[in-house]
Amino acid sequence: MLKWLRGRGPGPGGARTAAGPSLAGDGPAVGGSGPTAPGDGRTALAGNRGYGSRPDGGGGDGTAGGRTAAGGDPTAGRPTGEPAPGPAHSAAPGSEASVSEASGSEASVSEAPGSAASGSGISRSDPPGSRPHGCDDSGSGAPGFGESGSGAVRSTRADPAAPDPAAPGSGRAVPHLAEPTAADTARPPRTLPTGAPRIGHLQPLPLPRLSAVETSLPGVRADAGLLRNRWLGAASLAGQSHLNGGTTAQDAYQFTVSDDGSLLVAVVCDGLGSRPLTSQLGAVLLSSLLCQAARPVTADHLAADPYAVLGGVFGGACARLADVRAAVLPALADRDLACTAVLVLVPAEGTGWAARVGDCAVLTLTDGAWDTVFPREEGPLNKVSAALPHPAPADAAEYARLPEGPGGTLVLGSDGFAEDVYGSPGVRDWLAACWSRPCDATAMADSLRYRRGGSHDDRTALVLWPPSTGGRA
């Protein structure tokens, strides 16, 4: 996720609640949809509505008091080559997320200009003067280094005291893996055809580059199946900026069922791009820890005080994350694990609730019509008002009641996915058709293979279909 923290003014009571519509159109499009000039993507969709106003009027006005991740630095530097914040529809060659399409499988159009983030990695070297195991230059007669005629095994080197030609500083040239050449990139890899749309002005994509960081996440992840009586599908694709620059994806998702079986729990987390080597660890850890903290919750607890329950889950997960970091990652600070998160608790019967810190989204899809549960995050792109871990996560969170009524499909998404839904009717129509019935794992991944000019961030979506449609994938 390519973003940094920004501050906003405090809301009444510290907490924030969601309200107001947020879906927008992208105006006239190439091939039926696509972005137009910057600033035209804020037109509200007819019939959209926001949810989450607290019944007693409390919970704030949807703002947060300039919070950042604990110990965070809102001015932390961007990764080398990462695009600067700008209009939602600005793009550059190769600046949208996708999986390569089969040649001739789709119509070609041209792409608007954009940018790609360059990769960075962790390098290691042997300590200066390191020697092979067992070397002993003390002349003590240890095996392999005894004097001639002493009865000890002689060294295999002509002069045991001479520098090891393989040691650092020996002057010996060490072969390195070369950068890709034109010959390496001349033939694209085989891929699977897709019916996913191409929206906006597009150009051929460069070949993807893999991250060499040992803690990098998979570029493609997908799951689907029954979770009790609900069909759940999820997929996460690395953004084109990461694929172009050879950096790791930063989104994560997780799901579980409460210990008593009365609640379904789903989470999406999105690591901050200002910490390109470590925030994906925070996203993965926090998505699991939020599910773990929610397992003891029951549907009765949620119905009695949803704000306390959701705030308690965020607080418990952040406390556990601090323990894990101190025990396993002592060299890191909280800000190195910073991510945004959205959590939903869906009971077997009754009203479900959602809470988020940052700009992850919760949407609903009913008979092809999209609605928002939280308002679209306003302000500059790639900036967020708050992130986890946070010293007071319950105060940093927004809370929203999920819409009631049968037949609706619930969608959780990272901001990269949500911006595509908000900004493009073509993307909305494509996803509505794909998700009109439950998808298996491969169909979930394929549903996110659309190309849209200006789309460069990771795409993660977790879809929960209503009980009546479960199992018909």
Side-chain angles (χ1 to χ4, degrees), residues 363-389:
L363 307 168
T364 61
L365 177 60
T366 306
D367 296 328
W370 292 86
D371 277 331
T372 62
V373 173
F374 292 106
R376 185 178 184 179
E377 186 86 350
E378 299 295 337
L381 293 178
N382 301 329
K383 299 276 187 176
V384 292
S385 56
L388 298 175

Side-chain angles (χ1 to χ4, degrees), residues 23-448:
L23 291 183
D26 59 2
V30 176
S33 59
T36 58
D40 67 337
R42 302 285 181 169
T43 305
L45 287 180
N48 288 346
R49 61 187 184 275
Y51 298 90
S53 299
R54 190 165 175 169
D56 60 1
D61 62 354
T63 61
R67 303 179 180 90
T68 64
D73 179 4
T75 62
R78 300 180 180 87
T80 303
E82 184 167 274
H89 297 307
S90 63
S95 65
E96 80 288 347
S98 79
V99 176
S100 302
E101 297 85 2
S103 176
S105 64
E106 301 170 315
S108 287
V109 287
S110 59
E111 175 180 20
S115 60
S118 63
S120 57
I122 299 174
S123 62
R124 288 198 300 262
S125 60
D126 294 329
S130 61
R131 304 295 302 277
H133 178 70
C135 289
D136 183 355
D137 291 342
S138 64
S140 61
F145 296 96
E147 294 294 327
S148 176
S150 65
V153 179
R154 290 185 58 82
S155 169
T156 57
R157 292 204 312 239
D159 182 3
D164 184 346
S170 65
R172 177 177 176 268
V174 178
H176 290 81
L177 295 172
E179 289 297 316
T181 65
D184 297 323
T185 59
R187 175 178 292 181
R190 187 182 74 86
T191 188
L192 298 176
T194 180
R198 298 162 59 94
I199 300 167
H201 300 289
L202 306 173
Q203 292 178 352
L205 294 172
L207 292 183
R209 298 184 178 224
L210 298 176
S211 169
V213 177
E214 60 270 26
T215 55
S216 61
L217 301 184
V220 179
R221 179 188 171 193
D223 291 282
L226 285 168
L227 191 61
R228 297 296 174 93
N229 68 330
R230 303 290 293 268
W231 189 272
L232 184 149
S236 184
L237 271 60
Q240 197 60 44
S241 61
H242 293 303
L243 298 177
N244 291 351
T247 55
T248 179
Q250 296 174 299
D251 287 0
Y253 63 80
Q254 194 55 265
F255 45 83
T256 190
V257 175
S258 63
D259 290 337
D260 72 341
S262 65
L263 290 172
L264 187 148
V265 182
V267 176
V268 167
C269 292
D270 188 347
L272 266 61
S274 55
R275 302 291 170 180
L277 299 181
T278 54
S279 67
Q280 76 277 7
L281 300 177
V284 170
L285 287 170
L286 197 63
S287 62
S288 294
L289 293 174
L290 284 167
C291 284
Q292 183 183 80
R295 286 188 64 94
V297 178
T298 69
D300 289 342
H301 295 155
L302 181 66
D305 194 341
Y307 296 95
V309 166
L310 292 165
V313 170
F314 275 133
C318 286
R320 180 58 178 151
L321 181 62
D323 293 340
V324 172
R325 179 184 58 77
V328 181
L329 304 167
L332 301 184
D334 279 348
R335 62 181 177 272
D336 296 319
L337 304 177
C339 64
T340 61
V342 64
L343 160 73
V344 298
L345 302 181
V346 182
E349 295 182 355
T351 302
W353 283 80
R356 72 172 181 176
V357 175
D359 56 2
C360 289
V362 181
L363 307 168
T364 61
L365 177 60
T366 306
D367 296 328
W370 292 86
D371 277 331
T372 62
V373 173
F374 292 106
R376 185 178 184 179
E377 186 86 350
E378 299 295 337
L381 293 178
N382 301 329
K383 299 276 187 176
V384 292
S385 56
L388 298 175
H390 192 281
D395 293 338
E398 296 175 77
Y399 303 89
R401 184 195 307 269
L402 298 180
E404 299 184 30
T409 297
L410 190 66
V411 181
L412 283 68
S414 61
D415 73 313
F417 162 81
E419 285 299 318
D420 290 338
V421 174
Y422 293 146
S424 173
V427 170
R428 293 198 293 271
D429 291 346
W430 161 253
L431 294 175
C434 289
W435 298 342
S436 61
R437 58 178 295 180
C439 298
D440 67 8
T442 55
M444 280 300 305
D446 186 64
S447 69
L448 299 185

